[in-house]
Amino acid sequence: MISDDPSGRTVPLQLLFLLEAVKRNHHTRPYASRPGWTSIMPGPPLPPTPLGAAAVPSLCTAKVMVEVFLDLDCPFSRKCFKTLYEGSVIDAYKGKPVQFLVQNVIQPWHAVGSLMHEVSLAVKSTQPSHFYPFVNRIFDAQESFSDLATEKMTRGEIMEALVSLAVEVGVSRKGLEERIALRGGGGGNAGSATTQVVKWACKYHRSRGVHATPTVFVNGIEASHISSAWTVVEWKELLDDCLAASF
């Protein structure tokens, strides 16, 4: 206990540290979703909308929410996504109260993975309906972005290869390039217009305790028994059981 109060009352040292931290973080910050607006708020910027790429954006309420945490440079994530997307599990539940959300998981030991995720999140920002087709296309070309395959490539060459894949599935090159173009300032590390979204994705999967990929959450609870080896039949059995439950 120490005294730092005009009245002479003692104040816990921990409380003084907390108050000082609040003062440092309390400042005017541009509000990401409303250009030109400012909001006085403590702490780091927060995402203006929920994170994750929805398979059915128009679905406002869902009885079953399936979050699939994937690393675009992970072969097990590829297998899981292919089962859901190409195996028509996602399509089979359109029109039903089932929502799939793909959450990006950037793994630091997959160096190129960071760029793959950045471009995918830029696609989601510019043309959300193209996110799933683009992710599917990335998984088709995954081996081209391995550590060995990209060892002698520059950052610019890797980004161009990713942009070309996006264009193949109908993404506008101009809009995408604007979202991933590096900006000046910040000591040369200001990143791109998508950098903040990348930070949110990282913070989200860390806050959920996700390490290995794929990791699946069903209605907020980790379904540790689900793996990349799951078949279409197993997925449908799980989802049908969830829909049939009365509680």
Side-chain angles (χ1 to χ4, degrees), residues 116-117 150 152 166-167:
M116 298 165 76
H117 284 283
T150 58
K152 300 188 183 303
V167 171

Side-chain angles (χ1 to χ4, degrees), residues 109-180:
W109 50 87
H110 291 155
V112 178
S114 178
L115 302 181
M116 298 165 76
H117 284 283
E118 181 177 354
V119 175
S120 75
L121 290 168
V123 168
K124 179 178 178 289
S125 296
T126 56
Q127 294 175 259
S129 63
H130 290 66
F131 178 85
Y132 279 73
F134 177 59
V135 167
N136 194 51
R137 185 66 186 91
I138 280 187
F139 281 136
D140 286 339
Q142 190 182 68
E143 292 182 0
S144 300
F145 297 97
S146 69
D147 291 342
L148 284 175
T150 58
E151 184 179 12
K152 300 188 183 303
M153 294 175 68
T154 66
R155 182 187 189 280
E157 289 171 339
I158 295 170
M159 293 299 261
E160 171 55 31
L162 290 166
V163 169
S164 295
L165 291 182
V167 171
E168 287 180 17
V169 298
V171 176
S172 165
R173 173 178 287 273
K174 183 176 183 297
L176 183 56
E177 289 180 339
E178 289 174 354
R179 290 290 303 177
I180 61 174

Side-chain angles (χ1 to χ4, degrees), residues 5-232:
D5 189 295
S7 67
R9 292 175 297 185
T10 57
V11 180
L13 184 60
Q14 295 93 332
L15 179 57
L16 288 177
F17 286 151
L18 177 60
L19 292 173
E20 182 60 30
V22 170
K23 285 192 290 185
R24 285 199 307 268
N25 287 321
H26 199 276
H27 55 278
T28 301
R29 180 185 304 281
Y31 208 84
S33 63
R34 309 205 176 194
W37 282 37
T38 58
S39 174
I40 295 180
M41 55 179 287
L46 298 173
T49 58
L51 298 178
V56 188
S58 60
L59 182 62
C60 298
T61 59
K63 181 178 181 180
V64 184
M65 178 69 71
V66 181
E67 289 182 278
V68 187
F69 289 79
L70 302 175
D71 173 22
L72 302 183
D73 217 5
C74 166
F76 302 105
S77 291
R78 175 180 61 193
K79 186 175 182 180
C80 178
F81 182 84
K82 289 290 187 179
T83 300
L84 294 172
Y85 187 75
E86 291 187 346
S88 298
V89 174
I90 292 174
D91 284 343
Y93 289 87
K94 287 182 178 178
K96 299 180 181 180
V98 177
Q99 181 66 281
F100 290 88
L101 283 176
V102 167
Q103 302 287 2
N104 293 66
V105 180
I106 301 173
Q107 305 285 28
W109 50 87
H110 291 155
V112 178
S114 178
L115 302 181
M116 298 165 76
H117 284 283
E118 181 177 354
V119 175
S120 75
L121 290 168
V123 168
K124 179 178 178 289
S125 296
T126 56
Q127 294 175 259
S129 63
H130 290 66
F131 178 85
Y132 279 73
F134 177 59
V135 167
N136 194 51
R137 185 66 186 91
I138 280 187
F139 281 136
D140 286 339
Q142 190 182 68
E143 292 182 0
S144 300
F145 297 97
S146 69
D147 291 342
L148 284 175
T150 58
E151 184 179 12
K152 300 188 183 303
M153 294 175 68
T154 66
R155 182 187 189 280
E157 289 171 339
I158 295 170
M159 293 299 261
E160 171 55 31
L162 290 166
V163 169
S164 295
L165 291 182
V167 171
E168 287 180 17
V169 298
V171 176
S172 165
R173 173 178 287 273
K174 183 176 183 297
L176 183 56
E177 289 180 339
E178 289 174 354
R179 290 290 303 177
I180 61 174
L182 293 176
R183 300 175 294 191
N189 286 315
S192 69
T194 306
T195 297
Q196 182 59 67
V197 185
V198 170
K199 291 179 180 180
W200 283 329
C202 289
K203 192 169 186 176
Y204 185 67
H205 80 72
R206 289 169 183 169
S207 72
R208 300 293 295 276
V210 172
H211 174 66
T213 55
T215 294
V216 178
F217 284 73
V218 178
N219 289 335
I221 302 297
E222 183 178 353
S224 57
H225 60 299
I226 298 177
S227 73
S228 60
W230 263 40
T231 65
V232 171

